[in-house]
Amino acid sequence: VVERLGAPLIEPIFEELAIIGVGLIGSSIARVARRRNAARRIVLADKSVGALERAKALGLGDVVTDDLARSVRGADCAILCVPVGANEAVGRVIAPALKPGAIVSDVGSVKGAVISVLQPILPGHARLVPAHPVAGTEQSGPDAGFASLFINRWTILTPPDGADEDAVEKVRGLWEAFGAHVEIMSAAHHDLVLAITSHVPHLIAYNIVGTADDLAEVTQSEVIKFSAGGFRDFTRIAASDPTMWRDVFLHNKDAVLEMLGRFNEDLTALQRMIRRSDGDGLFALFTRTRAIRLGIVAEGQETAQPDFGRRAAESGEPAS
Ligand code: NAP
């Protein structure tokens, strides 16, 4: 278990790293890459003037620009850190400017759609290694990022068939330098796993807040005032960025609909247990689920901290 970020690397992994999209994830990568000397030069690009100004003020990169093509011109690795639906537009702009052999990666929460969009756009010489750091918060923008975000979290790489092995190893090394554990799987499997562990839970959180807000009998101020543990903890992720999550659901339709179908079947079974006063059935399910939930804590993927450890200090404290 990694406790904190190691010392700066003596030899950087990349000469020049371009990060496109300087939001929560992109700015966290910039911070940790700088801290670990993972790249000799860090170039940041974004379309948001506000994000670029903050990135400059925070000193997150050696170059900060709104010119996406220019940002990748000298890069041996470019990481797209924009909402999933923006990858195509970004890919089209950067493709002609990529250096021969440049690695192109991303951090999107959906992988199949990202590969099918980027693969045909990128030049044959570019080496695509999609990645998804399973780490984040419900906040956005350059100020929300922090260097320890990825410590002890998993990053999933989904190299397409025939991906360049050296490029995969370099991207693996980069994420390991950020303190992450790396796993490799197919994009289709990633999308199915994340549908149940991340996408459907977000949908349910958004939905329950919407339901509470639509109730005629309960006012919004009552919901906020009496949001005891259940509503408060359960709905933290309903504050997540609407653009990012719209794009996740539009680009992982099949897996999300499959998992929602299973969820609905199980919810119907639970409804029946309540209607039939089946206490044994409810108790058995809650006992089973409790053990699984406690396992998440035991695996170091959760802490007892009130902020879930997600705002780990810039001091390098673990974000577990
Ligand atoms: P974010 O904080 O909202 O930052 C995204 C940045 O990209 C914004 O500055 C945005 O500018 C910019 N952008 C959008 N479209 C662009 C374009 N066409 N060209 C250039 N820049 C563009 O988002 P984030 O939370 O870092 O998420 C980025 C990616 O990481 C997403 O694909 C998401 O699925 C993935 N991810 C997120 C999390 C998480 O917890 N947040 C975790 C793992 C992976 P505007 O604000 O002007 O749109």
Side-chain angles (χ1 to χ4, degrees):
V1 173
V2 183
E3 287 300 329
R4 51 181 62 240
L5 291 169
L9 301 173
I10 294 163
E11 263 311 300
I13 298 167
F14 295 114
E15 285 299 310
E16 190 165 312
L17 175 67
I19 299 168
I20 300 172
V22 200
L24 167 73
I25 302 294
S27 75
S28 295
I29 292 176
R31 285 174 169 95
V32 66
R34 164 75 40 91
R35 179 87 75 85
R36 293 239 50 207
N37 190 34
R40 217 176 289 282
R41 227 162 98 89
I42 297 173
V43 181
L44 304 177
D46 203 294
K47 74 167 173 51
S48 156
V49 176
L52 292 172
E53 275 171 8
R54 287 305 299 151
K56 263 187 209 157
L58 293 163
L60 296 180
D62 299 297
V63 176
V64 178
T65 176
D66 65 354
D67 185 339
L68 305 193
R70 188 184 141 217
S71 76
V72 301
R73 218 156 264 150
D76 0 53
C77 177
I79 308 181
L80 278 50
C81 303
V82 295
V84 168
N87 279 311
E88 181 168 3
V90 172
R92 286 192 190 285
V93 175
I94 65 165
L98 288 166
K99 261 194 353 185
I103 294 173
V104 176
S105 189
D106 78 310
V107 294
S109 308
V110 175
K111 300 272 54 101
V114 169
I115 293 176
S116 52
V117 152
L118 287 182
Q119 230 172 2
I121 296 176
L122 297 177
H125 63 72
R127 300 183 288 166
L128 179 62
V129 185
H132 176 206
V134 186
T137 74
E138 65 281 15
Q139 290 164 10
S140 313
D143 286 285
F146 48 103
S148 55
L149 177 63
F150 310 113
I151 296 181
N152 269 337
R153 301 292 183 200
W154 286 93
T155 292
I156 301 172
L157 308 186
T158 61
D161 287 344
D164 182 273
E165 277 180 26
D166 168 64
V168 174
E169 284 316 303
K170 283 227 165 69
V171 175
R172 176 203 286 276
L174 188 71
W175 284 100
E176 286 176 348
F178 297 168
H181 309 293
V182 173
E183 190 147 315
I184 296 185
M185 62 179 72
S186 72
H189 190 63
H190 165 280
D191 289 351
L192 206 59
V193 172
L194 269 290
I196 190 65
T197 59
S198 172
H199 306 169
V200 168
H202 276 79
L203 198 72
I204 295 166
Y206 282 126
N207 188 51
I208 199 169
V209 175
T211 303
D213 191 44
D214 285 344
L215 294 174
E217 310 87 328
V218 182
T219 66
Q220 201 183 73
S221 68
E222 281 177 310
V223 171
I224 293 170
K225 192 163 149 193
F226 302 120
S227 65
F231 194 83
R232 191 192 55 217
D233 293 352
F234 183 75
T235 59
R236 178 184 58 81
I237 52 179
S240 300
D241 185 67
T243 304
M244 168 184 160
W245 284 97
R246 176 204 60 197
D247 285 5
V248 167
F249 292 114
L250 293 181
H251 291 86
N252 197 21
K253 250 189 209 175
D254 293 348
V256 167
L257 291 177
E258 172 63 29
M259 290 303 166
L260 263 184
R262 313 247 189 129
F263 178 83
N264 281 328
E265 284 170 21
D266 292 341
L267 192 63
T268 304
L270 264 174
Q271 244 172 310
R272 191 179 310 115
M273 284 185 211
I274 295 171
R275 183 169 303 112
R276 293 181 178 172
S277 299
D278 179 3
D280 289 346
L282 291 172
F283 190 82
L285 178 71
F286 298 163
T287 305
R288 182 157 62 92
T289 58
R290 183 182 204 207
I292 295 166
R293 182 64 183 78
L294 291 173
I296 296 175
V297 180
E299 282 289 313
Q301 296 300 308
E302 179 64 288
T303 73
Q305 293 164 36
D307 67 352
F308 300 90
R310 288 181 172 84
R311 286 293 308 172
E314 271 296 277
S315 65
E317 288 302 307
S320 51

